[in-house]
Amino acid sequence: MNLEVEISGVKFKNPIIAASGTFGFGREFSKLINLDLFGGISTKGITLKKRTGNPQPRICEVYGGIINSVGLENPGVEAFVNDELPFLRRFDTKIIANINGFSKEEFVELAKIVSPLVDMLEVNLSCPNVKEGGMAFGKDPDKVYEITKEVKKISSCPVIVKLTPNVTDITELAKAAEKAGADAISLINTVSAMAIDIETRRPLIKMVTGGLSGPAIKPIAIRMVYECFQKVKIPIIGMGGIMNYKDAIEFFLAGATAIQIGTVNFVNPNAVLEIREGIENYLKAHGFKSVKDLVGNIII
């Protein structure tokens, strides 16, 4: 069975990508599982300067997933290039740099530095726009278009735009990204959520709210991938609550060319291997020759 997929000329040996933010830059995770098993790795979110992130507690477990408000803790782009990237290059997997900026200029500067060194960029537009009131860039189709266009101008590798689900119509963001020249879109990012300790009457997250990930959000993610597949022609990388191969197949049928797995890595480091084997067995059992045969192949 052929598990290879191609996104804007970048060939992935299989469609399973490690999702940004779920295993750092792979050092600790590589002690548990061979990173060569992944078709690609989307790095922890990178900013221009080092960030310590939000105060603790910033992660809590809830029914069907976890809420996090880590706040983009990372060593900054210089440390990424000098220390983390050489480590990731040891492995036979595509490297996707997840970049985060608090202004258009920061996104452009990051793209200029990082894009010549990696296989793809993933532009995370969930950061607040500090110059215009703090609303996340990714909620405004005009800002999605503007930043995507500027990053595309400077980037020397293909650009993925990561979309937030915390909007009324995610397809408007998808269309804006495509119009601006994005090579692919990835969705969904986490769903805005909150949990309260009833004994202390305090939020379980210091910042009060955070992003929900895990199996609870999968039906939302499937719906949004399906809707975007109807509206844009660029490839979609689907994510959100994938725990096993059956979940992955759902994403392919909804329209995803590839998938990202994140929260599952916390509970099952072998998930990538199990999902890959499950996809292979599904293809054989149902007479499909490749993953590409599944993409958008839903019967309505």
Side-chain angles (χ1 to χ4, degrees):
M1 296 294 103
N2 183 9
L3 295 187
E4 288 186 2
V5 297
E6 184 173 330
I7 299 174
S8 190
V10 179
K11 294 182 179 180
F12 294 81
K13 62 186 177 186
N14 69 62
I16 307 168
I17 299 167
S20 174
T22 55
F23 67 109
F25 295 104
R27 289 184 185 274
E28 296 303 316
F29 199 69
S30 67
K31 298 173 184 177
L32 301 174
I33 194 77
N34 184 358
L35 300 187
D36 289 337
L37 292 170
F38 287 97
I41 292 174
S42 183
T43 69
K44 184 172 179 58
I46 307 157
T47 52
L48 276 177
K49 303 296 182 182
K50 178 179 178 179
R51 285 179 58 87
T52 57
N54 290 334
Q56 303 282 2
R58 55 191 189 184
I59 296 178
C60 70
E61 189 172 357
V62 294
Y63 294 128
I66 60 173
I67 298 174
N68 92 84
S69 180
V70 173
L72 293 172
E73 178 185 355
N74 77 99
V77 69
E78 185 176 350
F80 168 72
V81 170
N82 294 331
D83 303 329
E84 307 300 345
L85 197 51
F87 172 78
L88 287 171
R89 283 179 173 152
R90 299 179 194 173
F91 300 95
D92 178 25
T93 187
K94 299 300 182 184
I95 301 172
I96 302 170
N98 182 286
I99 62 171
N100 299 259
F102 296 93
S103 67
K104 178 178 66 178
E105 291 76 17
E106 287 191 10
F107 278 107
V108 170
E109 185 64 22
L110 281 162
K112 189 184 302 182
I113 296 168
V114 176
S115 66
L117 307 174
V118 297
D119 296 294
M120 302 187 86
L121 293 182
E122 183 175 52
V123 181
N124 182 5
L125 295 177
S126 297
C127 299
N129 180 358
V130 295
K131 290 187 176 180
E132 296 183 31
M135 186 179 86
F137 290 107
K139 291 185 177 182
D140 182 347
D142 291 337
K143 291 299 179 187
V144 170
Y145 176 85
E146 182 182 346
I147 293 173
T148 302
K149 189 171 183 180
E150 292 304 312
V151 169
K152 273 295 294 180
K153 282 181 185 177
I154 201 72
S155 179
S156 54
C157 70
V159 173
I160 306 162
V161 176
K162 189 169 186 176
L163 304 182
T164 177
N166 301 313
V167 290
T168 303
D169 184 359
I170 197 170
T171 67
E172 292 300 314
L173 306 179
K175 290 188 291 185
E178 180 180 54
K179 185 178 179 182
D183 299 287
I185 51 176
S186 59
L187 60 142
I188 59 174
N189 209 328
T190 55
V191 176
S192 185
M194 180 178 176
I196 302 169
D197 183 327
I198 63 170
E199 297 302 326
T200 64
R201 305 193 306 280
R202 295 180 182 277
L204 289 173
I205 296 287
K206 184 72 173 178
M207 300 299 288
V208 182
T209 64
L212 176 65
S213 62
I217 72 169
K218 192 197 78 176
I220 299 170
I222 293 289
R223 187 259 297 177
M224 290 186 170
V225 167
Y226 173 75
E227 289 176 343
C228 288
F229 185 71
Q230 309 305 310
K231 299 290 186 178
V232 299
K233 291 182 168 55
I234 55 177
I236 297 169
I237 301 172
M239 73 189 88
I242 297 173
M243 302 298 286
N244 53 52
Y245 84 90
K246 292 180 181 179
D247 296 335
I249 298 298
E250 277 193 76
F251 274 89
F252 297 137
L253 294 175
T257 295
I259 57 164
Q260 291 188 13
I261 60 172
T263 299
V264 69
N265 294 321
F266 295 132
V267 295
N268 180 14
N270 287 312
V272 59
L273 179 60
E274 295 171 8
I275 292 171
R276 192 182 70 176
E277 290 176 348
I279 294 170
E280 285 181 326
N281 292 335
Y282 179 90
L283 293 174
K284 290 176 186 176
H286 292 80
F288 293 108
K289 294 182 179 179
S290 72
V291 172
K292 288 179 283 188
D293 295 335
L294 297 178
V295 178
N297 195 358
I298 183 175
I299 299 171
I300 302 295

